[in-house]
Amino acid sequence: MKRTLSALAKNKPGVLADIATEFSKSEANILSLAAGETEQAEISRIVIRLEGNDAAIDDAEQTLKNLDAIIQIDDLSRKDFVDRELVMIKIAMSPGNTGQLMQIFEVFRANVVGMGQETITVELSGDQERIEGLIQMLVPYGIKSLCRSGMIALKRGDE
Amino acid sequence: MKRTLSALAKNKPGVLADIATEFSKSEANILSLAAGETEQAEISRIVIRLEGNDAAIDDAEQTLKNLDAIIQIDDLSRKDFVDRELVMIKIAMSPGNTGQLMQIFEVFRANVVGMGQETITVELSGDQERIEGLIQMLVPYGIKSLCRSGMIALKRGDE
């Protein structure tokens, strides 16, 4: 089963290693991981998408909760949250397909962030469905390079 | 010194743990890490922002290059690349400040993705300066929650 966990952790060397090691011990596969600063410089937020045995993931979550560096862990799979992901894609471009590509970018509201002689690079932020949708549309044109941020998420509402 | 590395790695349990552990041994602090799928389902791209001793980071990079699961590592600090980051921010909102907030969102072209009784949530993708700029503008209003994806990056041009 796929699960999404969000952790608040102290900014100390080794914290990410501890988290990744704990889930690797539980044999869960980390589908994506996004770790970045929060509004407080000494605290990071880490959002992890996992696939694996539910009970094993629960155990790993429990072990991590006991670490000094971990302030809080939420299971976002069980709560209502807004999720977003960022993707950058470099696509093969030729005079013959530029118009079609531009139409696709417009439909998905993807922004062009770079252009070479033979490629064009766009960015899109959106939920997983929208990101997957754009990628599927662009595959036939030839994707040269692709980078995804992994999912980030915040709880809905005022909480 | 701050460094940005981009790795292509096989999608296997434990790879992220190996990478994080190696940099933690070199006593480099991981400022952000973004790991997500690429155009090939069995390969992940991992972008890491690090701060620490240059020679120690070089050593860790070399050790990782020898791992079977690591396909390629590029030092983006030394190459010309397009970088982007995604942020979601939940801000305290009252009838008196809604207009001002909306003006800030318009200037930064930030998108509203959620609204509660007392908060509003926006997303913005951009380079580090733009993200930092928006955060600084919003601090006085009261940031309730903030999630950053960490930097993602692709080489400029056709390569």
Side-chain angles (χ1 to χ4, degrees):
Chain A
M1 196 187 146
K2 288 185 186 172
R3 301 264 296 268
T4 306
L5 302 179
S6 171
L8 286 174
K10 291 179 197 164
N11 250 341
K12 295 199 300 191
V15 176
L16 263 178
D18 288 346
I19 293 176
T21 305
E22 206 51 56
F23 287 116
S24 133
K25 272 195 252 165
S26 78
E27 286 176 25
N29 196 19
I30 296 178
L31 300 172
S32 78
L33 188 152
E37 295 158 67
T38 65
E39 63 276 21
Q40 293 160 276
E42 71 282 9
I43 295 175
S44 296
R45 187 188 293 272
I46 301 153
V47 181
I48 313 160
R49 290 259 297 164
L50 294 154
E51 188 163 30
N53 178 285
D54 248 2
I57 293 176
D58 284 341
D59 285 348
E61 189 187 339
Q62 215 51 51
T63 308
L64 289 172
K65 270 187 183 162
N66 294 330
L67 290 184
D68 181 50
I70 303 285
I71 298 160
Q72 188 185 325
I73 300 188
D74 288 313
D75 192 329
L76 297 180
S77 331
R78 290 167 189 164
K79 281 177 186 159
D80 202 22
F81 63 96
V82 193
D83 66 293
R84 283 289 182 281
E85 185 170 7
L86 182 65
V87 66
M88 278 202 286
I89 313 173
K90 189 180 288 186
I91 311 123
M93 184 184 61
S94 68
N97 68 21
T98 312
Q100 290 170 324
L101 283 173
M102 289 300 174
Q103 278 177 5
I104 295 173
F105 302 158
E106 207 179 309
V107 169
F108 281 87
R109 275 179 271 155
N111 297 318
V112 173
V113 294
M115 214 172 209
Q117 297 286 326
E118 298 156 9
T119 61
I120 187 161
T121 304
V122 290
E123 64 161 345
L124 177 71
S125 78
D127 57 23
Q128 310 262 308
E129 272 179 35
R130 192 143 155 246
I131 302 279
E132 295 289 350
L134 177 65
I135 294 172
Q136 289 317 311
M137 287 296 290
L138 294 177
V139 163
Y141 295 89
I143 292 179
K144 295 291 179 192
S145 208
L146 188 153
C147 193
R148 292 174 74 153
S149 68
M151 190 201 278
I152 64 169
L154 287 182
K155 283 182 211 162
R156 282 191 197 277
D158 291 328
E159 210 190 319
Chain B
M1 196 186 147
K2 287 185 187 172
R3 301 264 296 267
T4 306
L5 302 179
S6 171
L8 286 175
K10 292 179 197 164
N11 250 341
K12 295 199 298 190
V15 176
L16 262 178
D18 288 346
I19 293 176
T21 304
E22 206 52 56
F23 286 116
S24 134
K25 273 195 253 167
S26 78
E27 285 176 26
N29 195 18
I30 296 179
L31 300 172
S32 77
L33 187 151
E37 295 159 65
T38 64
E39 63 277 21
Q40 294 160 276
E42 71 281 10
I43 295 174
S44 295
R45 185 188 295 273
I46 301 153
V47 180
I48 313 160
R49 290 260 297 163
L50 293 154
E51 188 163 30
N53 178 284
D54 247 1
I57 293 176
D58 285 340
D59 286 347
E61 190 186 338
Q62 214 51 50
T63 308
L64 289 171
K65 271 186 183 162
N66 295 329
L67 290 185
D68 180 50
I70 304 285
I71 298 161
Q72 188 185 325
I73 300 187
D74 287 314
D75 191 329
L76 297 180
S77 331
R78 290 167 188 165
K79 280 177 186 159
D80 202 22
F81 62 96
V82 193
D83 65 292
R84 283 289 182 281
E85 185 170 6
L86 181 66
V87 66
M88 277 202 286
I89 312 172
K90 190 180 287 184
I91 310 123
M93 183 184 62
S94 67
N97 69 20
T98 312
Q100 291 171 324
L101 283 173
M102 290 300 175
Q103 279 177 6
I104 295 173
F105 302 159
E106 207 178 309
V107 169
F108 281 88
R109 276 178 271 154
N111 297 317
V112 174
V113 294
M115 214 173 210
Q117 297 285 327
E118 298 157 9
T119 61
I120 186 161
T121 303
V122 289
E123 63 161 346
L124 177 70
S125 78
D127 57 24
Q128 309 262 309
E129 271 179 36
R130 192 144 155 245
I131 302 279
E132 296 288 351
L134 176 65
I135 294 171
Q136 289 317 313
M137 288 297 290
L138 294 177
V139 163
Y141 295 90
I143 292 179
K144 295 292 179 192
S145 209
L146 187 154
C147 194
R148 292 175 75 153
S149 67
M151 190 201 280
I152 64 169
L154 287 182
K155 284 182 210 161
R156 281 190 197 278
D158 291 328
E159 209 190 321

mmCIF file of all heavy atoms in Angstrom, chain B residues 1 95 98 145 154:
data_model
loop_
_atom_site.group_PDB
_atom_site.id
_atom_site.type_symbol
_atom_site.label_atom_id
_atom_site.label_comp_id
_atom_site.label_asym_id
_atom_site.label_seq_id
_atom_site.Cartn_x
_atom_site.Cartn_y
_atom_site.Cartn_z
ATOM 1 N N MET B 1 31.142 25.578 2.308
ATOM 2 C CA MET B 1 30.636 25.992 0.988
ATOM 3 C C MET B 1 29.376 25.208 0.637
ATOM 4 O O MET B 1 29.240 24.042 0.979
ATOM 5 C CB MET B 1 31.733 25.720 -0.048
ATOM 6 C CG MET B 1 31.501 26.432 -1.373
ATOM 7 S SD MET B 1 32.755 25.889 -2.583
ATOM 8 C CE MET B 1 31.794 25.988 -4.083
ATOM 9 N N PRO B 95 -10.135 39.627 7.802
ATOM 10 C CA PRO B 95 -10.775 40.518 6.826
ATOM 11 C C PRO B 95 -9.894 41.735 6.526
ATOM 12 O O PRO B 95 -9.862 42.232 5.397
ATOM 13 C CB PRO B 95 -12.077 40.929 7.528
ATOM 14 C CG PRO B 95 -12.375 39.801 8.460
ATOM 15 C CD PRO B 95 -11.037 39.302 8.929
ATOM 16 N N THR B 98 -6.671 40.640 3.923
ATOM 17 C CA THR B 98 -6.868 39.799 2.735
ATOM 18 C C THR B 98 -6.424 40.514 1.452
ATOM 19 O O THR B 98 -5.750 39.928 0.595
ATOM 20 C CB THR B 98 -8.344 39.356 2.617
ATOM 21 O OG1 THR B 98 -8.760 38.859 3.886
ATOM 22 C CG2 THR B 98 -8.513 38.273 1.577
ATOM 23 N N SER B 145 2.262 27.405 8.600
ATOM 24 C CA SER B 145 2.806 26.131 8.162
ATOM 25 C C SER B 145 3.516 26.362 6.821
ATOM 26 O O SER B 145 3.066 27.199 6.029
ATOM 27 C CB SER B 145 1.644 25.159 7.980
ATOM 28 O OG SER B 145 2.042 23.850 8.197
ATOM 29 N N LEU B 154 17.922 20.930 -13.744
ATOM 30 C CA LEU B 154 18.316 20.264 -14.992
ATOM 31 C C LEU B 154 19.386 21.128 -15.664
ATOM 32 O O LEU B 154 19.378 22.347 -15.516
ATOM 33 C CB LEU B 154 17.121 20.119 -15.943
ATOM 34 C CG LEU B 154 16.039 19.087 -15.618
ATOM 35 C CD1 LEU B 154 14.968 19.085 -16.717
ATOM 36 C CD2 LEU B 154 16.606 17.689 -15.459
#
